[in-house]
Amino acid sequence: MHFSKEAFGDDFVWGVSTAAYQIEGAHLHDGKAPSIWDIFVQKKNKIFQNHKGDIACDFYNRYIDDLELMHRLNIRNYRFSIAWSRIIPNGVGEINQAGVDFYNRLIDLSLSLGITPWVTLYHWDLPHALELKGGWLNRDVKEWFADYVAVCVQLFADRVKHWMVLNEPTVFTAAGYFFGVHAPGKKGLDNFLAAAHHAALAQAHGGRVIKSWQADSVVGSTFSCSHVEQFSSRPKDIFAAKKADALLNRLFIEPLLGLGYPTAEIKVLNRIEKYMRQNDLADLKFDMDFIGLQNYTREIIRYAMFVPFLQAKIVSAKERKVEMTAMNWEVYPESIYHILKKFAAYENMPPLIITENGAAFPDLKEDDRVHDPKRLQYLQDAIGQVLRAKQEGVPVKGYFVWTFLDNFEWAEGYYPRFGLVHVDFENQERTVKSSGEWYANFLKA
Ligand code: BGC
């Protein structure tokens, strides 16, 4: 590694990210009602070995030790999400004071340790009570979400300034409403298009709500993104790659920037009009203070006649026999550089922050140590690529590692370990991995 933290400048933000359902546990504790994930994990064979997030990292009960550990590792920015059904069990209406108290304690302790909270308002755990009313398929979700956002801002804005409206709308709408592999397990194009449009509306509207309560807030939203390349220079592969890029990287950022949906590449997206009302196009636009990018890998795309709607498919890392993580994602550090360049190329793009980046590997604990050279290398290489983009003029202002603790990795259960800190899920013991020690040293420098 040929760079130090100083190369990024004093105002560059370094941190770690987590999400409520993946770490908190205490899933029905102190008045919290179930979210769609609490329900989804009960279905047979949806999650690797039928794992559940009921206890996860038990962060709800262990946050004091965990935040102290974060502080010892020199981490001074912490991105976490609020579980909507902990604050408002029915999704709308009555507030659960015990849930509010938990986030108050979390925020207060963070601040007293010199750790700045960065709050994600929605990281995929919709209150189940709202799912019973149609969830993201019901256009009213825009108002339910706006009310919840207003509640959070009123409760926490005296101490929280940095907000992210949604986490990766492409992933939660595609996995949850098209493929049915994430909660709530719905499938099909119509479900996907409805959920996507309502999420895009909620994304912009949520931003407006935060600003209306807290004018000096720093508001962003986060986007999954992968550098896309065509499998060959055949025109069909090039066109397939363009379509995949539109779906993976452009679907939610472009309406937010006022460019509408990328319908020129993906014709079937025109069907989203069915869900659009007058003024929606204008309502989809909002000027964020920053855009959060979450990158893990690149995708190689080829033409595939039989794949409905897209006629495109991913050529997997396995098929290509390239180095992979435990998620079977290609290890390709340059992806984060290309993604930063791509997003920076939009006119009127606000500053960019890498709000997630990291890798899962099958870490082993030996003699009370977890040696994880692959993750360490992955992070160093990725951070180097962020610096490369920054030095070429990309306005990238921060970097958050995914993630602090090994956690519940959605459909993959507890199998993939992404943490800087190893968690023994039998006894909740934490062990800082070599990558965690490295990050701590890097941040201290
Ligand atoms: C999500 C995280 C997830 C990570 C690794 C992102 O899609 O925001 O919740 O754990 O990627 O898969």
Side-chain angles (χ1 to χ4, degrees):
M1 201 183 71
H2 314 288
F3 55 85
S4 68
K5 187 187 141 202
E6 276 60 48
F8 289 82
D10 286 346
D11 56 349
F12 197 86
V13 171
W14 296 96
V16 290
S17 291
T18 65
Y21 187 70
Q22 295 182 271
I23 62 165
E24 283 180 3
H27 71 307
L28 299 176
H29 244 69
D30 292 344
K32 178 179 171 292
S35 77
I36 52 175
W37 272 94
D38 291 308
I39 303 298
F40 188 67
V41 296
Q42 290 170 24
K43 298 185 179 163
K44 277 271 161 284
N45 302 326
K46 292 287 177 190
I47 311 292
F48 175 76
Q49 293 185 352
N50 296 311
H51 290 169
K52 297 180 171 58
D54 299 5
I55 300 175
C57 306
D58 196 27
F59 181 76
Y60 186 79
N61 295 306
R62 294 169 193 267
Y63 72 96
I64 299 181
D65 288 348
D66 287 336
L67 282 183
E68 284 173 353
L69 177 59
M70 198 179 283
H71 177 259
R72 276 209 298 287
L73 296 181
N74 302 320
I75 293 159
R76 294 295 178 264
N77 292 280
Y78 177 32
R79 170 177 176 242
F80 60 88
S81 77
I82 291 180
W84 184 343
S85 65
R86 212 183 270 296
I87 299 269
I88 309 177
N90 289 321
V92 285
E94 212 172 312
I95 292 174
N96 174 37
Q97 191 53 44
V100 174
D101 291 345
F102 169 67
Y103 292 108
N104 274 330
R105 292 194 301 271
L106 181 60
I107 292 166
D108 289 344
L109 181 62
S110 300
L111 291 170
S112 75
L113 291 167
I115 297 172
T116 303
W118 292 64
V119 174
T120 308
L121 289 156
Y122 186 75
H123 203 127
W124 306 355
D125 45 357
L126 188 80
H128 176 61
L130 296 181
E131 177 59 24
L132 296 177
K133 299 183 191 171
W136 287 101
L137 302 181
N138 184 337
R139 194 181 161 100
D140 292 345
V141 71
K142 179 186 161 199
E143 301 308 330
W144 303 332
F145 182 66
D147 290 349
Y148 156 70
V149 171
V151 165
C152 290
V153 179
Q154 289 171 76
L155 286 168
F156 306 124
D158 57 334
R159 289 152 296 152
V160 173
K161 214 177 150 176
H162 300 86
W163 304 93
M164 282 142 288
V165 182
L166 297 182
N167 182 73
E168 298 190 352
T170 307
V171 175
F172 83 74
T173 56
Y177 294 86
F178 185 79
F179 294 112
V181 294
H182 277 190
K186 299 224 156 98
K187 290 184 186 168
L189 184 66
D190 280 327
N191 284 333
F192 169 63
L193 293 177
H197 184 54
H198 300 146
L201 285 171
Q203 167 180 268
H205 197 50
R208 282 189 283 272
V209 171
I210 301 171
K211 283 288 175 194
S212 73
W213 289 98
Q214 189 185 24
D216 67 342
S217 51
V218 179
V219 181
S221 205
T222 78
F223 301 83
S224 52
C225 47
S226 296
H227 175 55
V228 169
E229 284 176 37
Q230 59 266 13
F231 178 71
S232 81
S233 52
R234 282 195 320 163
K236 279 186 167 174
D237 283 347
I238 294 176
F239 190 50
K242 278 214 169 88
K243 287 198 273 193
D245 178 56
L247 183 67
L248 295 175
N249 297 321
R250 301 172 46 199
L251 180 60
F252 284 91
I253 189 67
E254 294 195 357
L256 187 67
L257 294 173
L259 303 170
Y261 293 110
T263 47
E265 282 73 20
I266 311 181
K267 292 278 175 289
V268 73
L269 269 185
N270 282 305
R271 291 204 217 162
I272 215 165
E273 266 170 27
K274 193 161 124 194
Y275 305 98
M276 296 201 38
R277 302 211 183 137
Q278 228 187 341
N279 295 332
D280 273 11
L281 211 54
D283 284 350
L284 289 167
K285 182 176 182 307
F286 177 71
D287 292 330
M288 294 283 175
D289 297 311
F290 72 93
I291 292 298
L293 299 181
Q294 318 205 139
N295 174 256
Y296 290 89
T297 190
R298 78 166 161 179
E299 301 295 0
I300 303 290
I301 306 292
R302 76 186 303 174
Y303 170 72
M305 186 166 56
F306 297 113
V307 175
F309 313 121
L310 273 189
Q311 280 78 46
K313 82 180 219 2
I314 290 175
V315 188
S316 71
K318 242 185 208 158
E319 284 169 77
R320 290 183 285 126
K321 299 194 173 53
V322 290
E323 194 192 348
M324 297 185 299
T325 68
M327 298 292 282
N328 294 338
W329 296 342
E330 182 187 9
V331 174
Y332 188 74
E334 288 89 346
S335 180
I336 205 165
Y337 163 82
H338 292 299
I339 277 299
L340 282 164
K341 296 284 273 193
K342 178 183 175 72
F343 275 73
Y346 283 102
E347 226 171 282
N348 302 324
M349 179 56 79
L352 303 171
I353 295 182
I354 300 295
T355 38
E356 284 183 24
N357 171 248
F361 291 107
D363 306 315
L364 281 182
K365 191 169 158 191
E366 282 167 325
D367 305 327
D368 282 335
R369 296 189 62 103
V370 180
H371 185 52
D372 60 339
K374 289 191 173 169
R375 179 173 301 97
L376 206 161
Q377 189 67 49
Y378 180 101
L379 295 175
Q380 288 184 351
D381 291 347
I383 292 171
Q385 293 293 328
V386 174
L387 182 61
R388 178 180 165 208
K390 184 170 163 58
Q391 286 171 342
E392 291 178 21
V394 170
V396 53
K397 307 284 185 202
Y399 176 91
F400 289 70
V401 175
W402 184 268
T403 178
F404 185 56
L405 302 169
D406 290 340
N407 65 19
F408 177 80
E409 180 50 46
W410 308 114
E412 269 52 64
Y414 294 98
Y415 168 65
R417 293 180 172 272
F418 273 92
L420 295 172
V421 175
H422 180 274
V423 175
D424 182 335
F425 292 103
E426 297 290 312
N427 58 19
Q428 293 294 342
E429 208 172 76
R430 276 53 167 160
T431 308
V432 179
K433 303 180 192 177
S434 327
S435 58
E437 306 281 3
W438 170 78
Y439 197 48
N441 270 321
F442 176 75
L443 296 182
K444 186 171 78 188

